[in-house]
Amino acid sequence: MIKAIIFDFDGVIVESVGVKAQAFSMVYNSYGNEIISKVLDHHYKNGGVSRFEKFIYYHKSFLGIKLSKDQLKELSNKFSDFVVDKINSAPYVNGALEFIKTNFRKYDYHISTGTPQNEIEIITRYRKINKFFLSVFGSPEKKENHIQKIMESNNYSKDEVVFIGDSLQDKIAANKKDITFIGRIEGSNKQLLNEKYKVSDLSELDKIIKQL
C-alpha cells in the first residue's frame, strides 16, 4: 500500500529540463561552442546532479579553472536569475497537475530535487502548488538524504514510498534507500528505458501506482 510519493521536479512535475540547458549555455557562452557542447552533453547525461557540482566540474575539467567560493556563488546567482523566471512560466508535464490535485488526499507528497532549496521553494510558491506537498527538499543536500529524512520524519516503511524521477541519479538515490522507482521517459532521454516501472508522462501514473 503506497502512502507517499516523492517527486523529482524538473522533467517530472514541470517540463523544465530544457530551461536548465539554456541556462548552462548562457553561462558558458563566452567560452565557445565546443565548451558549450561538452557542458550540455554532460548535463543531459547527469540529470539530478546539482548545478554547484556541475559548475565545479565543468570549470575544472573543460576550462582548467578551480572556482573560488565567490566565483561559484556568482555563477549560481546568474544561473538562478535566468532559471526562476523561465521555470515559473514552463508548462506542467502532461497529467502532473491533474494527478497532484486529484490525489493529494490519498497520498503524502514530497519533492526531492537538485534545484537549490531557496529556489524550489520560490518556484512552488509562485506556481501555487506548495500547499500540496508535506516537504520540499533541494540541493546542496543529496537526494538519498532527502529520502532518508522523509522516511524517518513520517515513519514510512520502504514499501510505502515511491520515487518518481527522470534521471539515473534519481534511480540511484531510490535504490540506495530500497524504495520503488518509477522512471519518467521523454524525448531523447533513453537512460531509463529498461525500468520495470516507467511512464511517458504523469497521465499514466495512477495506473502504474495501482500495480505496486
Side-chain angles (χ1 to χ4, degrees):
M1 181 70 178
I2 300 301
K3 288 186 177 180
I5 302 173
I6 304 174
F7 297 83
D8 178 35
F9 189 77
D10 297 304
V12 172
I13 294 177
V14 172
E15 297 284 18
S16 47
V17 174
V19 171
K20 302 291 179 71
Q22 292 173 36
F24 278 115
S25 295
M26 177 269 297
V27 168
Y28 289 95
N29 181 60
S30 62
Y31 296 103
N33 290 335
E34 184 178 348
I35 295 299
I36 291 173
S37 179
K38 289 180 179 179
V39 166
L40 294 184
D41 181 62
H42 180 276
H43 167 64
Y44 281 122
K45 289 178 179 176
N46 293 273
V49 176
S50 80
R51 71 190 61 165
F52 307 106
E53 293 178 61
K54 288 181 176 179
F55 283 139
I56 292 169
Y57 176 78
Y58 298 157
H59 268 69
K60 183 177 180 181
S61 299
F62 303 152
L63 303 173
I65 298 171
K66 183 178 180 181
L67 286 171
S68 68
K69 288 184 178 179
D70 287 343
Q71 288 173 321
L72 181 58
K73 184 178 180 180
E74 183 180 348
L75 283 176
S76 298
N77 288 342
K78 183 178 181 181
F79 191 100
S80 181
D81 289 342
F82 180 92
V83 160
V84 170
D85 180 59
K86 296 286 186 180
I87 292 182
N88 281 341
S89 59
Y92 284 98
V93 170
N94 185 41
L97 187 59
E98 291 80 1
F99 180 89
I100 289 168
K101 287 183 173 181
T102 302
N103 296 286
F104 76 96
R105 290 187 177 89
K106 185 176 181 181
Y107 306 109
D108 293 346
Y109 293 152
H110 306 271
I111 288 176
S112 171
T113 177
T115 298
Q117 184 70 43
N118 65 322
E119 198 172 292
I120 190 61
E121 289 176 2
I122 290 169
I123 291 168
T124 53
R125 284 198 304 268
Y126 181 88
R127 299 187 74 115
K128 295 182 173 59
I129 59 171
N130 57 310
K131 62 186 177 184
F132 296 113
F133 295 91
L134 294 185
S135 65
V136 175
F137 289 97
S139 64
E141 195 169 30
K142 301 287 188 183
K143 292 191 175 188
E144 61 198 77
N145 293 336
H146 298 167
I147 297 170
Q148 185 69 30
K149 285 186 175 181
I150 289 167
M151 294 182 71
E152 287 180 352
S153 62
N154 295 279
N155 249 354
Y156 301 136
S157 63
K158 63 184 181 181
D159 58 342
E160 293 174 330
V161 183
V162 62
F163 191 109
I164 305 168
D166 68 335
S167 71
L168 287 177
Q169 294 298 322
D170 295 332
K171 176 185 176 180
I172 290 168
N175 287 349
K176 282 183 177 180
K177 296 304 173 183
D178 199 22
I179 62 174
T180 300
F181 177 73
I182 299 175
R184 193 262 164 144
I185 301 167
E186 186 272 333
S188 60
N189 179 13
K190 307 299 183 186
Q191 295 178 321
L192 303 174
L193 277 177
N194 294 323
E195 288 305 301
K196 181 179 180 180
Y197 302 111
K198 55 184 179 287
V199 295
S200 59
D201 60 45
L202 267 61
S203 67
E204 307 168 37
L205 185 56
D206 196 45
K207 179 177 66 176
I208 294 294
I209 290 178
K210 286 177 180 176
Q211 296 175 16
L212 303 179

